[in-house]
Amino acid sequence: MGSIISLGINKMEIDWGKNNYFNDHSKLFQMKDFGKQVPYYYIDDNDNEIIEYKEGASKQLVEVKQRLEILGYTLQNIEKMYNENLIELGYYTEENLNISFGDFFKLITSLDIAKVDNIASIIEDYDNGFDLGEYFNRCILEDKEFKDKISLILKNMKKSTYIIGEFFENLDPYIILRILAENKNNLHYNVQWNYSDVIENGWVKKDEIIKPLEDKYRILIVTEGKTDSFIIKKSMEYLYSNIADFFQFIDMQDNYPFTGIGNLSNFCMGLSKINIQNNVIILFDNDTSGIELYNKVQNISRPNNLYICHLPTYEEFNEINTIGPSGETKCNINGKAVAIECFLDFSSVDNHPTIRWNNYNKVMQQYQGELENKDKYVRKFKDANLKDGSYDCRKLRFLIDYLIESWINR
């Protein structure tokens, strides 16, 4: 019979493999998610269900959803993938499956995971496990509510049942998983990868399953200074721990081999020329000199895996106290004086946040601004607990959300 390895939610099996032939789902999980005791469902000789708890990987769907997004499974992308699968289906069958992505989306999000039980439907003919197509025909289509819904879409149910199964069998399981995550009632369920049997029976070694995220999925964030890298990295680790392993950091202050202004822009152009294969985000400041350099590299030819951006515009920065040639006044500092320190908690120090205008930039025809006492804000951040509510993380969350969404939608 062999050993089964499966990915699923509760008793809903989304993908499975046998022996040493299976899809590697380690990228959905972090090292802390492996080695958990998860339920394994078996059927004995009398077709009775047996539940055993063994080692596996487990992570809540709400957290897996974010990992899928970074891996490219956005709603926009999965719609494209779905339509490509429909086209491919027409290459090896004369039947057309007239289910639009919108209808398919409604069907999958309407599934009640608590009621799905493919284990109870396993019979002798399927002792090697279900594929998704077989599962769909044997289990989902037998659900009256679901069958009524799909009957409204398909004119000839009997004729199309087999082809629906074929379609599901060849569909990327992450498309199903990503759509299930759009139903808020599903988000608390755990996505489980049951790998114990293939390891115990010698088909694969443990380190082939339990392993950190591969470098090809990681994203390198390149910043102007080491403070930028430190602040973003700590914010990721504490506020977005479920995806923090996707990101690596390097700064031009300590890691650029040359000196002089324009380090980050020159580095960016160098990466473009060598057509770098790694995933890279180049992050400029949102101040006068940062925007000048950002504009300088906007028109260079670059691969899709190299994304260039600057710190985001933030509403709170529209009216900040400033000191300069015109005296003291309130100004919009977006595009003129927004550095990473501006995203720290201004209430963490006694000083009122103030920007001082200094050098005049002839190219941009405006002054460059800098946050006064910025070192005090950084020191407070270093000692801050970002999880207990004692530190205001609203701007940091806005910043990280901006970076993630920008990368996903690039």
Side-chain angles (χ1 to χ4, degrees):
M1 179 178 175
S3 302
I4 300 298
I5 177 171
S6 64
L7 180 76
I9 303 175
N10 276 14
K11 294 182 180 181
M12 181 178 183
E13 201 170 76
I14 298 172
D15 186 44
W16 72 277
K18 184 178 178 182
N19 300 337
N20 58 355
Y21 183 74
F22 57 87
N23 291 318
D24 181 0
H25 297 301
S26 61
K27 55 185 171 291
L28 297 182
F29 304 94
Q30 295 168 286
M31 294 302 289
K32 64 181 181 180
D33 302 319
F34 291 98
K36 295 182 178 180
Q37 291 295 300
V38 299
Y40 284 66
Y41 302 96
Y42 303 100
I43 300 294
D44 65 15
D45 293 338
N46 297 316
D47 289 341
N48 296 314
E49 180 180 289
I50 300 173
I51 302 176
E52 296 182 15
Y53 281 83
K54 298 182 181 181
E55 181 178 325
S58 179
K59 196 177 195 69
Q60 273 198 324
L61 181 57
V62 65
E63 295 185 334
V64 172
K65 177 182 178 180
Q66 281 192 301
R67 298 181 74 82
L68 287 170
E69 289 267 324
I70 294 176
L71 289 167
Y73 289 86
T74 63
L75 291 180
Q76 182 179 2
N77 285 345
I78 64 173
E79 180 174 3
K80 181 181 178 182
M81 296 174 195
Y82 174 87
N83 291 329
E84 289 173 349
N85 272 261
L86 281 181
I87 294 173
E88 291 177 6
L89 183 68
Y91 293 152
Y92 57 86
T93 178
E94 295 179 357
E95 292 192 71
N96 293 319
L97 185 59
N98 298 317
I99 303 180
S100 68
F101 177 78
D103 288 331
F104 178 77
F105 182 91
K106 292 177 183 177
L107 290 172
I108 299 302
T109 53
S110 70
L111 280 176
D112 185 347
I113 290 179
K115 294 181 180 179
V116 176
D117 186 358
N118 62 336
I119 306 302
S121 301
I122 294 178
I123 58 176
E124 291 182 2
D125 291 340
Y126 292 90
D127 61 355
N128 286 329
F130 276 122
D131 60 39
L132 193 54
E134 293 162 347
Y135 165 64
F136 187 89
N137 288 334
R138 290 271 178 177
C139 306
I140 297 180
L141 284 183
E142 294 306 312
D143 181 85
K144 184 180 183 304
E145 181 182 358
F146 194 86
K147 193 170 185 176
D148 290 343
K149 290 177 181 178
I150 203 168
S151 294
L152 296 175
I153 300 171
L154 299 174
K155 295 181 179 179
N156 191 334
M157 190 67 182
K158 292 182 179 179
K159 180 181 178 182
S160 300
T161 299
Y162 173 76
I163 203 66
I164 296 171
E166 285 290 299
F167 179 68
F168 270 79
E169 183 178 346
N170 292 282
L171 192 65
D172 187 333
Y174 291 173
I175 295 177
I176 304 291
L177 198 59
R178 179 62 185 82
I179 296 176
L180 286 172
E182 284 302 296
N183 183 339
K184 64 180 181 180
N185 295 323
N186 295 333
L187 294 176
H188 70 282
Y189 287 110
N190 288 327
V191 178
Q192 295 174 181
W193 193 24
N194 293 23
Y195 54 75
S196 187
D197 288 346
V198 294
I199 294 176
E200 288 178 358
N201 294 317
W203 292 105
V204 294
K205 295 180 179 178
K206 201 168 186 177
D207 59 8
E208 295 179 74
I209 296 286
I210 303 175
K211 56 187 178 182
L213 188 69
E214 295 179 59
D215 286 341
K216 64 181 178 181
Y217 300 119
R218 294 181 183 272
I219 304 163
L220 178 65
I221 298 181
V222 187
T223 62
E224 293 193 30
K226 60 183 179 182
T227 300
D228 303 67
S229 295
F230 168 74
I231 290 174
I232 296 173
K233 183 178 181 180
K234 180 177 178 178
S235 299
M236 285 277 193
E237 290 174 347
Y238 282 86
L239 304 178
Y240 297 79
S241 60
N242 60 303
I243 56 172
D245 56 322
F246 276 99
F247 298 93
Q248 298 174 305
F249 301 88
I250 188 172
D251 63 82
M252 293 295 94
Q253 185 173 340
D254 288 344
N255 296 283
Y256 189 70
F258 307 106
T259 58
I261 192 168
N263 293 353
L264 189 54
S265 60
N266 291 338
F267 186 66
C268 180
M269 288 186 282
L271 294 179
S272 298
K273 288 181 179 179
I274 65 174
N275 197 30
I276 188 170
Q277 299 300 303
N278 305 74
N279 297 316
V280 181
I281 295 176
I282 303 291
L283 180 62
F284 289 93
D285 286 344
N286 189 14
D287 56 14
T288 299
S289 60
I291 296 300
E292 179 190 2
L293 297 175
Y294 169 79
N295 292 338
K296 180 180 178 181
V297 298
Q298 277 305 288
N299 295 324
I300 64 174
S301 177
R302 59 185 182 272
N304 184 54
N305 55 294
L306 176 60
Y307 181 72
I308 304 171
C309 63
H310 57 71
L311 291 172
T313 296
Y314 190 68
E315 185 176 0
E316 185 179 320
F317 303 151
N318 288 342
E319 194 174 6
I320 295 288
N321 289 339
T322 65
I323 299 175
S326 300
E328 297 186 21
T329 185
K330 290 184 178 294
C331 293
N332 182 347
I333 64 168
N334 286 300
K336 301 175 183 178
V338 177
I340 194 72
E341 294 84 1
C342 293
F343 290 90
L344 302 180
D345 181 4
F346 283 157
S347 66
S348 64
V349 300
D350 294 333
N351 304 86
H352 195 71
T354 301
I355 297 295
R356 181 172 293 277
W357 303 114
N358 40 50
N359 298 327
Y360 184 78
N361 187 303
K362 293 182 180 180
V363 175
M364 301 295 290
Q365 296 185 349
Q366 63 186 31
Y367 283 94
Q368 166 78 15
E370 184 178 37
L371 178 67
E372 290 199 321
N373 302 301
K374 63 180 182 180
D375 290 341
K376 289 185 179 180
Y377 293 102
V378 174
R379 285 195 295 270
K380 286 291 184 179
F381 174 78
K382 286 181 178 180
D383 298 330
N385 186 324
L386 304 187
K387 289 187 173 182
D388 64 2
S390 60
Y391 192 87
D392 187 352
C393 296
R394 287 176 299 167
K395 288 183 289 182
L396 290 171
R397 288 187 181 276
F398 181 86
L399 169 60
I400 304 303
D401 287 341
Y402 161 82
L403 290 174
I404 294 171
E405 290 172 11
S406 295
W407 173 258
I408 290 172
N409 299 317
R410 64 192 186 282

